[in-house]
């Protein structure tokens, strides 16, 4: 009987444990997590904040006996070091947990900016259920709330706060909203949309200091000083991998893996937001912290962990989805692939500011490699199919340069023809 240890109780860890149990029915499986609640989804926290679900609604598995019935042990602890040569994980309670295979699925953690006053009461991140409880208490209707950060996660939090009826101000260091997902035109359109919905948005602005008091006094880089009842830090996240230092497990931006989700240490795998996974389509490793990737990576890793010979993994990750779809106060935007373009590539943009619509397409040769869209929801599935399918557009590339709204026609003409050729081969 082998022992499989999974670090992390998020979606990747849970899917991996369930897959392992299915394919390794007699093995021991342990999941290690450092929060007191049952495994839950962080992406469900905004729904909790607006009252659509209760805390139990965030749980990944609703049956309290689910893991016990699977024969999966939940261990409440935090990993502080991995001793790869000795095949053991050292925990914060001083114990050591031996393993035959290991999955690092520790996700991300919030970035804490070095700003005076960030440790004061009424300053919170929005990452854990404990954070959500504080926000629920403080973000009452009419409360003055300042949010730092207007990235992808920040915009999701912003929507939940707006729904609670607070007086909301958002401060973003970048020159536009969602700067890692949207170009200047698209990000600017999202900002104007939010302002039209009653949210005050400052871009190109930083919080310089937070002074104690009731309310808090916040100094901005533009010279303004705001009085707020609650400050939420949503300035981004990074892979939660500091405990792997000096472990021998290679890390770059995240835990570096191959197409089998295996690290440089045989039998040690990674999945989810902490993993830097090999993308077969692009030929490079990337961190793409979205739940569909976490699920796919966990499944592949678990299949290989369950293999009789763990030194010869079989399951392969077909690709890493590079996609973000965001609903910001009713305005849907999307970003796919290399949305900023590639050297030597061509691009086309179409903007209708009055209707809050924008479309930007990026090409490499005759392939669509990336795109931004705002308000053009009917094209989302087609854009994803063209980008991820690496579809050769042929003469349709020039037609799209003339009229980027003809994406559906291009997809039907070229993607289906490509599929037919693949079948014939």
């Amino acid at each position: 009987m082998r022992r499989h240890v999974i670090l992390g109780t998020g979606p990747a860890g849970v899917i991996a444990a369930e897959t392992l149990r299915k394919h390794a029915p007699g093995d021991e499986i342990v999941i290690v997590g450092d929060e007191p609640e049952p495994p839950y989804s962080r992406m469900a926290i905004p729904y909790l904040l607006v009252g659509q679900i209760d805390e139990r609604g965030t749980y990944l598995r609703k049956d309290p006996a689910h893991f016990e019935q699977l024969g999966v042990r939940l261990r409440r602890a935090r990993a502080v070091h991995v001793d790869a040569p000795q095949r053991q994980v050292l925990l914060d309670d001083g114990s050591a947990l031996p393993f035959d295979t290991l999955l690092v699925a520790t996700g991300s953690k919030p970035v804490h900016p070095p700003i005076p006053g960030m440790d004061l009461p009424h300053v919170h991140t929005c990452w854990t259920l404990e954070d959500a409880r504080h926000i629920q208490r403080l973000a009452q209707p009419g409360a003055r709330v300042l949010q730092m950060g207007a990235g992808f996660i920040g915009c999701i939090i912003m929507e939940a706060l707006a729904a609670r009826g607070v007086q909301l101000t958002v401060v973003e260091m970048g020159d536009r909203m969602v700067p890692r997902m949207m170009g200047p035109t698209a990000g600017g359109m999202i900002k104007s949309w939010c302002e039209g919905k009653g949210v005050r948005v400052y871009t190109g602005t930083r919080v310089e200091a937070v002074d104690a008091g009731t309310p808090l006094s916040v100094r901005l880089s533009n010279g303004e000083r705001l009085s707020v009842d609650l400050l939420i830090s949503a300035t981004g996240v990074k892979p939660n991998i500091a405990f792997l230092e000096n472990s021998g497990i290679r890390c770059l931006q995240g835990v570096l893996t191959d197409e089998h989700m295996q690290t440089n240490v045989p039998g040690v795998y990674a999945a989810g937001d902490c993993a830097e996974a090999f993308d077969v389509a692009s030929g490079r490793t990337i961190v793409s912290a979205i739940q569909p990737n976490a699920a796919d990576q966990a499944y592949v890793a678990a299949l290989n962990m369950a293999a009789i010979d763990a030194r010869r993994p079989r399951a392969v990750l077909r690709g890493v989805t590079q996609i973000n779809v965001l609903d910001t106060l009713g305005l849907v935007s999307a970003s796919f692939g290399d949305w900023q373009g590639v050297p030597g590539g061509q691009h086309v943009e179409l903007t209708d500011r009055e209707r809050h619509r924008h479309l930007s397409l990026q090409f490499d040769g005759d392939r669509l490699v990336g795109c931004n869209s705002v308000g053009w929801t009917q094209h989302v599935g087609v854009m994803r199919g063209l980008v991820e399918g690496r579809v050769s557009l042929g003469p349709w590339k020039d037609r799209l340069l003339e009229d980027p709204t003809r994406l559906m026609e291009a997809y039907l003409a070229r993607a289906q023809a490509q599929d037919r050729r693949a079948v014939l081969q």
Side-chain angles (χ1 to χ4, degrees):
M1 181 178 69
R2 293 179 300 162
R3 171 177 282 192
H4 308 282
V5 173
I6 298 169
L7 303 180
T9 57
V14 169
I15 290 170
E18 293 170 344
T19 304
L20 270 169
R21 176 53 69 224
K22 180 178 179 180
H23 294 275
D27 288 354
E28 183 178 355
I29 302 170
V30 181
I31 306 179
V32 179
D34 62 355
E35 293 189 56
E37 297 87 5
Y40 68 90
S41 170
R42 302 196 193 283
M43 295 307 296
I45 288 177
Y47 301 99
L48 172 65
L49 292 178
V50 299
Q52 294 181 4
I53 58 174
D54 58 13
E55 284 197 12
R56 190 172 179 275
T58 69
Y59 296 169
L60 290 168
R61 301 295 180 260
K62 302 301 187 285
D63 184 350
H66 176 75
F67 296 99
E68 181 180 356
Q69 291 170 354
L70 280 180
V72 172
R73 182 159 64 97
L74 294 176
R75 178 78 179 269
R76 302 301 179 198
R78 179 173 57 86
V80 296
H81 182 65
V82 174
D83 187 339
Q86 295 298 317
R87 313 292 283 186
Q88 62 181 5
V89 179
L90 305 183
L91 303 177
D92 60 348
D93 61 5
S95 64
L97 191 60
F99 64 84
D100 295 300
T101 71
L102 173 69
L103 176 66
V104 180
T106 45
S108 300
K109 63 179 182 180
V111 173
H112 295 285
I115 297 172
M118 292 300 290
D119 58 347
L120 289 170
H122 298 188
V123 178
H124 299 283
T125 58
C126 184
W127 195 243
T128 66
L129 282 177
E130 182 63 24
D131 291 333
R133 295 176 192 124
H134 289 297
I135 293 169
Q136 286 175 312
R137 178 172 56 85
L138 296 169
Q140 298 296 323
R144 295 161 295 181
V145 178
L146 174 64
Q147 177 178 302
M148 296 169 51
F152 181 81
I153 294 174
C155 283
I156 295 173
I157 298 169
M158 178 188 68
E159 183 158 34
L161 292 171
R164 291 182 67 86
V166 303
Q167 300 178 47
L168 182 59
T169 301
V170 176
V171 173
E172 166 58 45
M173 289 179 58
D175 64 353
R176 60 192 184 273
M177 294 186 70
V178 262
R180 296 186 179 181
M181 170 180 163
M182 290 289 165
T185 301
M189 292 180 73
I190 296 172
K191 175 184 176 181
S192 64
W193 175 271
C194 292
E195 290 174 332
K197 297 292 184 179
V199 178
R200 186 163 50 163
V201 181
Y202 294 97
T203 52
T205 306
R206 303 183 311 276
V207 169
E208 292 192 332
V210 183
D211 296 328
T214 305
L216 297 170
S217 180
V218 181
R219 188 174 76 244
L220 305 182
S221 60
N222 63 5
E224 289 196 42
R225 185 174 284 274
L226 305 179
S227 296
V228 302
D229 303 302
L230 167 65
L231 189 153
I232 295 178
S233 177
T235 54
V237 298
K238 62 182 180 180
N240 184 21
I241 56 175
F243 68 97
L244 294 178
E245 187 175 0
N246 299 321
S247 68
I249 299 171
R250 189 179 179 195
C251 300
L252 295 178
Q253 182 182 355
V255 184
L256 191 63
T257 67
D258 60 16
E259 65 270 32
H260 308 291
M261 300 312 300
Q262 186 168 228
T263 69
N264 62 304
V265 177
V268 176
Y269 297 80
D273 293 9
C274 67
E276 187 166 343
F278 182 78
D279 179 22
V280 176
S282 66
R284 67 179 189 268
T285 57
I286 61 173
V287 175
S288 184
I290 59 175
Q291 193 158 316
N293 283 332
D296 291 345
Q297 293 167 7
Y299 181 72
V300 168
L303 288 178
N304 290 321
M305 293 166 72
I308 299 300
D309 186 351
R311 295 169 298 179
R312 299 180 61 191
R314 299 294 186 186
V316 173
L317 186 72
R318 293 184 178 181
V320 180
T321 298
Q322 299 181 68
I323 171 178
N324 284 297
V325 178
L326 182 63
D327 185 342
T328 309
L329 304 177
L331 183 66
V332 177
S333 57
S335 175
F336 297 85
D338 292 317
W339 59 268
Q340 299 180 85
V342 296
Q346 293 177 279
H347 76 279
V348 61
E349 289 193 1
L350 180 63
T351 303
D352 182 348
R353 294 186 182 277
E354 289 187 1
R355 300 172 66 188
H356 287 90
R357 301 177 78 181
H358 173 74
L359 192 58
S360 171
L361 307 181
Q362 303 288 342
F363 299 92
D364 184 7
D366 75 339
R367 288 182 167 86
L368 183 68
V369 295
C371 43
N372 272 172
S373 75
V374 178
W376 252 299
T377 56
Q378 69 269 34
H379 293 310
V380 170
V382 169
M383 287 188 291
R384 178 177 182 178
L386 290 173
V387 172
E388 293 189 350
R390 297 177 59 81
V391 175
S392 175
L393 292 166
W396 274 97
K397 194 278 291 284
D398 291 330
R399 295 170 191 169
L400 288 174
L401 286 172
E402 294 177 2
D403 183 358
T405 66
R406 300 183 69 185
L407 281 163
M408 180 61 76
E409 294 175 74
Y411 181 82
L412 293 174
R414 301 300 298 180
Q416 291 187 354
Q418 179 172 291
D419 291 342
R420 285 196 297 270
R421 287 195 297 272
V423 170
L424 291 174
Q425 290 173 359

